[in-house]
Amino acid sequence: NLSADEPVVQRMNTSISSQNWYTEYKKIKRMSTDVNVSTSMIWGCLWDETLQWLVDSGAKTYAEMKDSTSWGNYNNSTFEYKTNISGSTSTKNASSGRSIPSGSTEYSKANNIYDMAGNVWDWTLEGNGSYNRSCRGGYYNLNGSINPASYRINVNPNYSGVNIGFRAYFYIK
């Protein structure tokens, strides 16, 4: 929840986008008040390692890393999701791109990790040249075979749009 005084990871949150890289980085760094825990935006290499772990664990296949339609919120996927915390549901149909609340469907879950494929691009700490940061995972208005979970794009860190959010990781010291 980016709007909280102390940002937290929260299922069913809808404020997962429309922040530039700098704002999201600052908010992520404030997520933990415990001296034994550090938080940060995910590195691109950690993204790749997580995808590899999903394959190694049997939760996903290499084919699903190249075409993530079967487990992500893309415009060519169809699934049911919760629209709010009380449990009301809706169906997201193919050819209709729309962002959904984070963690709102089991369809987009792999090994208890939600939304790595589609929904919104996730900013990473990975840089590309002097002026760009890499985003991973694709977003809701794209096709899961063209922009799968393994895909990366490079974006100016000053950009803030509804199609880019972030993924935090916690490091226990």
Side-chain angles (χ1 to χ4, degrees), residues 136-158:
R136 303 296 298 270
Y139 91 105
Y140 61 87
N141 214 24
L142 299 174
N143 187 302
S145 62
I146 298 170
N147 292 274
S150 59
Y151 194 77
R152 72 173 42 85
I153 62 165
N154 299 301
V155 180
N156 184 299
N158 288 308

Side-chain angles (χ1 to χ4, degrees), residues 30-103:
R30 295 182 325 171
M31 287 178 86
S32 175
T33 56
D34 187 319
V35 296
N36 295 316
V37 177
S38 135
T39 58
S40 188
M41 189 177 288
I42 194 168
W43 285 93
C45 60
L46 293 176
W47 186 278
D48 293 331
E49 285 296 316
T50 303
L51 294 180
Q52 184 63 52
W53 172 70
L54 292 176
V55 171
D56 292 347
S57 71
K60 297 294 168 199
T61 65
Y62 283 118
E64 290 171 306
M65 298 303 151
K66 293 181 181 179
D67 181 350
S68 302
T69 304
S70 67
W71 65 291
N73 179 17
Y74 295 99
N75 80 345
N76 62 325
S77 55
T78 300
F79 56 89
E80 192 169 280
Y81 68 99
K82 293 180 184 173
T83 58
N84 55 44
I85 204 87
S86 65
S88 299
T89 61
S90 183
T91 299
K92 191 271 178 203
N93 294 310
S95 299
S96 68
R98 92 172 63 128
S99 180
I100 61 173
S102 62

Side-chain angles (χ1 to χ4, degrees), residues 53-54 106 109-114:
W53 172 70
L54 292 176
E106 298 298 301
K109 181 175 93 170
N111 283 357
N112 263 351
I113 301 173
Y114 289 88

